[in-house]
Amino acid sequence: MEYYDEKRNAVLFQILVYCAIIVPPFFVAYFTNDLWQYTSSYREQPEVYYSNQQILQLCDALGTCKTWTSYPSHNLLLQPGEEAFPTIKSKEDDSNRDGINDGLKLTVEFTNLNVSVTSLRLLLFFEIRLSLFSSYVMQSLVYTTQSWSAPTTKLWISGELRLDQRAPLPASGHVTTYNSSLVNSSSVFAKDFDISNILQAYSTRNVTSVLHNVYPVWEPGASTGFTLQVELQYPAQTILYSPGFWQLLKFAWIQYLAIACVFGYVLRHVQEFVFSNQLILTVKRKPHQH
């Protein structure tokens, strides 16, 4: 049935109802927050590649240290007696055969240190890639420091390499903001290889990699040798990103439509009540048949 009113009050009332269905839901969605989804997330396992670059510093209780670095120019800057030369073995595993590395096994073995190791600092360098949304490439590192009250001959460390974000990534495009070396390998200045200086510069990035769930196990003992074993996992993780325009609009539209349906349901019943009870004088007629 349709309702007619010669004074047009019914038409004005219907316009008011339609406006109430369309406009207020927007303000409800907006003022209850999250109408615009500025940050979203997805799951991806990064492609991680160990660059075979590291800086390792081993110290005794008196502060005497030995340093091994894979940067030749850094080794030249070390004072006589400060350098150490280990045997290194590394292997990255793709355990599920999906073409993406799942972890790293690294063994660093010293046979003649002449230092009773009670602490160490380690930097390992990586290249990390993301491709599910934006194409993201970065040069990265992980850092760990360990110390003990007694000399140690062997340390085993297990952990997970994870991304740490201060800001979301873009939803698309090719991003190479941090695809540059973290160490000036040709530098002739010792400060460029100092672990504290490297970490200070690295910490200013919006995206870094860090070690999570670190489990160190050491074997005490006095010896001129020392063995370091590192096992890292490269797990899938949650990546934050900024949605594009159409995703932003889609998410807002879903919220708006859900609220508008509730307003429409209620106000259509209000309209029917007003007309059925002649709160606005109208004439009920059947639509013309064609």
Side-chain angles (χ1 to χ4, degrees), residues 29-43:
Y30 181 81
F31 287 110
T32 53
N33 298 325
D34 295 330
L35 175 62
W36 307 113
Q37 188 184 36
Y38 295 112
T39 302
S40 188
S41 63
Y42 66 95
R43 296 280 295 175

Side-chain angles (χ1 to χ4, degrees), residues 24-124:
F26 173 80
F27 290 102
V28 172
Y30 181 81
F31 287 110
T32 53
N33 298 325
D34 295 330
L35 175 62
W36 307 113
Q37 188 184 36
Y38 295 112
T39 302
S40 188
S41 63
Y42 66 95
R43 296 280 295 175
E44 181 178 0
Q45 182 178 357
E47 297 180 45
V48 182
Y49 303 96
Y50 175 51
S51 64
N52 290 305
Q53 301 289 344
Q54 59 274 321
I55 298 176
L56 174 61
Q57 189 176 72
L58 305 169
C59 300
D60 63 15
L62 299 177
T64 303
C65 297
K66 297 281 188 176
T67 300
W68 156 247
T69 170
S70 57
Y71 298 99
S73 55
H74 187 192
N75 285 318
L76 295 176
L77 295 172
L78 296 174
Q79 298 296 321
E82 290 182 344
E83 71 277 4
F85 300 98
T87 300
I88 299 177
K89 298 178 182 179
S90 64
K91 180 182 178 182
E92 288 183 295
D93 294 322
D94 177 13
S95 58
N96 56 6
R97 301 294 186 266
D98 62 352
I100 300 177
N101 292 330
D102 295 308
L104 167 70
K105 293 183 179 180
L106 173 69
T107 301
V108 183
E109 185 174 1
F110 299 89
T111 56
N112 190 18
L113 273 179
N114 296 322
V115 168
S116 297
V117 179
T118 58
S119 65
L120 68 77
R121 296 197 296 170
L122 172 66
L123 286 179
L124 298 176

Side-chain angles (χ1 to χ4, degrees), residues 29-234:
Y30 181 81
F31 287 110
T32 53
N33 298 325
D34 295 330
L35 175 62
W36 307 113
Q37 188 184 36
Y38 295 112
T39 302
S40 188
S41 63
Y42 66 95
R43 296 280 295 175
E44 181 178 0
Q45 182 178 357
E47 297 180 45
V48 182
Y49 303 96
Y50 175 51
S51 64
N52 290 305
Q53 301 289 344
Q54 59 274 321
I55 298 176
L56 174 61
Q57 189 176 72
L58 305 169
C59 300
D60 63 15
L62 299 177
T64 303
C65 297
K66 297 281 188 176
T67 300
W68 156 247
T69 170
S70 57
Y71 298 99
S73 55
H74 187 192
N75 285 318
L76 295 176
L77 295 172
L78 296 174
Q79 298 296 321
E82 290 182 344
E83 71 277 4
F85 300 98
T87 300
I88 299 177
K89 298 178 182 179
S90 64
K91 180 182 178 182
E92 288 183 295
D93 294 322
D94 177 13
S95 58
N96 56 6
R97 301 294 186 266
D98 62 352
I100 300 177
N101 292 330
D102 295 308
L104 167 70
K105 293 183 179 180
L106 173 69
T107 301
V108 183
E109 185 174 1
F110 299 89
T111 56
N112 190 18
L113 273 179
N114 296 322
V115 168
S116 297
V117 179
T118 58
S119 65
L120 68 77
R121 296 197 296 170
L122 172 66
L123 286 179
L124 298 176
F125 297 86
F126 298 85
E127 179 181 292
I128 299 177
R129 294 175 175 267
L130 298 171
S131 58
L132 195 57
F133 278 62
S134 60
S135 177
Y136 189 87
V137 184
M138 66 179 290
Q139 302 300 313
S140 190
L141 64 80
V142 293
Y143 169 73
T144 186
T145 179
Q146 303 289 331
S147 61
W148 316 269
S149 58
T152 301
T153 59
K154 183 177 181 179
L155 172 65
W156 175 85
I157 299 177
S158 174
E160 297 178 350
L161 185 152
R162 291 187 173 273
L163 293 180
D164 186 37
Q165 296 179 248
R166 292 180 181 173
L169 303 181
S172 60
H174 190 66
V175 184
T176 58
T177 307
Y178 300 129
N179 191 25
S180 58
S181 178
L182 292 162
V183 178
N184 182 3
S185 59
S186 60
S187 176
V188 295
F189 301 103
K191 64 182 180 64
D192 292 328
F193 299 97
D194 182 78
I195 292 177
S196 298
N197 290 337
I198 295 172
L199 291 176
Q200 183 178 13
Y202 183 67
S203 65
T204 62
R205 290 184 167 191
N206 286 331
V207 183
T208 57
S209 57
V210 294
L211 283 181
H212 278 257
N213 299 326
V214 180
Y215 297 98
V217 179
W218 58 88
E219 294 182 7
S223 173
T224 58
F226 180 79
T227 301
L228 171 65
Q229 291 183 326
V230 179
E231 294 188 12
L232 299 183
Q233 304 298 318
Y234 308 152

Side-chain angles (χ1 to χ4, degrees), residues 19-36 249 252-253 255-261 263:
C19 290
I21 293 174
I22 295 172
V23 178
F26 173 80
F27 290 102
V28 172
Y30 181 81
F31 287 110
T32 53
N33 298 325
D34 295 330
L35 175 62
W36 307 113
L249 187 63
W253 172 251
Q255 294 185 84
Y256 169 79
L257 189 61
I259 298 172
C261 286
F263 271 72

